[in-house]
Amino acid sequence: MSEPIIILDTLRFGWPGQPEPLLRIARLDVTPGERVFLHGASGSGKSTLLGLIAGVLAPQGGVIKILGQPLDEMSAAARDHFRADHFGIIFQQFNLIPYLSVIENVTLPCHFSELRRQKAISRSATAEAEALRLLEHLDMAHDDLVHKPVTELSVGQQQRVAAARALIGAPEILIADEPTSSMDADRRSAFIELLFRECKESGSTLLFVSHDHGLQTPFDRVVEFEELNLAAAEARPNLQVVR
């Protein structure tokens, strides 16, 4: 059995000035290629956990090992470089660059990571061609859309651009933070099918975060955030905590 691609061990994190930690996680392992659904209420700290896994935040204690590398021991600059090479992230607020066009936003990771640029070129002739391939799967490759500034798109269209940007260059780990909140039911199903297909083709591991239990069915595993996070569980005496 291969080593987990994500390992969290005795992880602890709290914001400055808080008397108690926001997160305390005994252990979480995610295997390569696994599709994990992380369920939890809005505002429960799920996005903070994603920030730790991706190296945006540093823990106060514990181990974060990604692809065998100890993120908790890296400098902020090293974590930034590692994230650019190995993570695709669909942010809850999209984080698109407003003055760039659709296709410029999608190819942006290829400017920050030579590794992802080379992977994109290996699938298509150029990074732009690979961006168009992904946008076509998302019904966004129309000539009147790809060169528009993203500020002229609907919220749902911006969400799909953010997904294409995360997928380009076949990152080993894809993190999706509430990525379907602005989509109708049919679009949600098609979107999740696309994520699964792209992750399967590239061998990417998918960590999908949502408060909507109705989306969990096709995933390999469901993790309940309130059970994973001992800090939250211990604040609720009626919740049985397994150590």
Side-chain angles (χ1 to χ4, degrees), residues 35 137 190 192-202:
R35 300 171 299 191
H137 284 185
I192 291 173
E193 286 179 11
L194 168 71
L195 291 185
F196 277 26
R197 182 170 65 249
E198 291 295 326
C199 286
K200 183 177 180 179
E201 287 183 9
S202 62

Side-chain angles (χ1 to χ4, degrees), residues 67-132:
L67 291 164
Q69 300 300 310
L71 252 64
D72 55 284
E73 297 178 8
M74 291 183 185
S75 67
R79 294 198 310 269
D80 289 345
H81 183 76
F82 188 87
R83 181 171 59 255
D85 278 347
H86 302 293
F87 281 90
I89 304 175
I90 307 173
F91 297 94
Q92 194 169 354
Q93 301 300 323
F94 313 148
N95 290 9
L96 300 174
I97 308 300
Y99 53 83
L100 296 182
S101 69
V102 167
I103 197 163
E104 288 169 336
N105 266 280
V106 175
T107 58
L108 197 60
C110 298
H111 294 283
F112 291 105
S113 169
E114 178 62 18
L115 176 64
R116 287 178 69 178
R117 190 181 77 85
Q118 290 299 330
K119 285 183 177 180
I121 291 172
S122 73
R123 299 188 74 172
S124 302
T126 63
E128 288 74 17
E130 176 64 3
L132 287 171

Side-chain angles (χ1 to χ4, degrees), residues 80-218:
D80 289 345
H81 183 76
F82 188 87
R83 181 171 59 255
D85 278 347
H86 302 293
F87 281 90
I89 304 175
I90 307 173
F91 297 94
Q92 194 169 354
Q93 301 300 323
F94 313 148
N95 290 9
L96 300 174
I97 308 300
Y99 53 83
L100 296 182
S101 69
V102 167
I103 197 163
E104 288 169 336
N105 266 280
V106 175
T107 58
L108 197 60
C110 298
H111 294 283
F112 291 105
S113 169
E114 178 62 18
L115 176 64
R116 287 178 69 178
R117 190 181 77 85
Q118 290 299 330
K119 285 183 177 180
I121 291 172
S122 73
R123 299 188 74 172
S124 302
T126 63
E128 288 74 17
E130 176 64 3
L132 287 171
R133 185 187 71 82
L134 291 167
L135 288 167
E136 184 174 8
H137 284 185
L138 289 161
D139 194 26
M140 287 287 295
H142 313 297
D143 289 339
D144 60 336
L145 282 178
V146 294
H147 299 296
K148 272 188 175 182
V150 290
T151 51
E152 296 182 16
L153 304 181
S154 69
V155 172
Q157 288 173 326
Q158 290 183 32
Q159 204 157 28
R160 282 177 273 162
V161 173
R165 182 183 62 183
L167 287 163
I168 198 166
E172 289 94 332
I173 300 171
L174 182 67
I175 289 178
D177 187 4
E178 298 278 4
T180 59
S181 57
S182 300
M183 299 180 185
D184 58 32
D186 290 341
R187 187 74 73 182
R188 280 198 299 268
S189 297
F191 180 79
I192 291 173
E193 286 179 11
L194 168 71
L195 291 185
F196 277 26
R197 182 170 65 249
E198 291 295 326
C199 286
K200 183 177 180 179
E201 287 183 9
S202 62
S204 299
T205 299
L206 175 61
L207 183 56
F208 187 103
V209 177
S210 178
H211 67 278
D212 186 353
H213 257 313
L215 302 176
Q216 72 181 43
T217 302

Side-chain angles (χ1 to χ4, degrees), residues 8-13 21 23-27 49 52-53 58-64 72 229:
L8 308 182
D9 190 29
T10 59
L11 184 67
R12 188 177 72 257
F13 178 84
L23 300 176
R24 195 165 73 80
I25 295 170
R27 184 80 181 190
L49 176 60
L52 288 162
I53 291 172
Q60 271 82 56
V63 171
I64 303 175
D72 55 284
N229 182 19

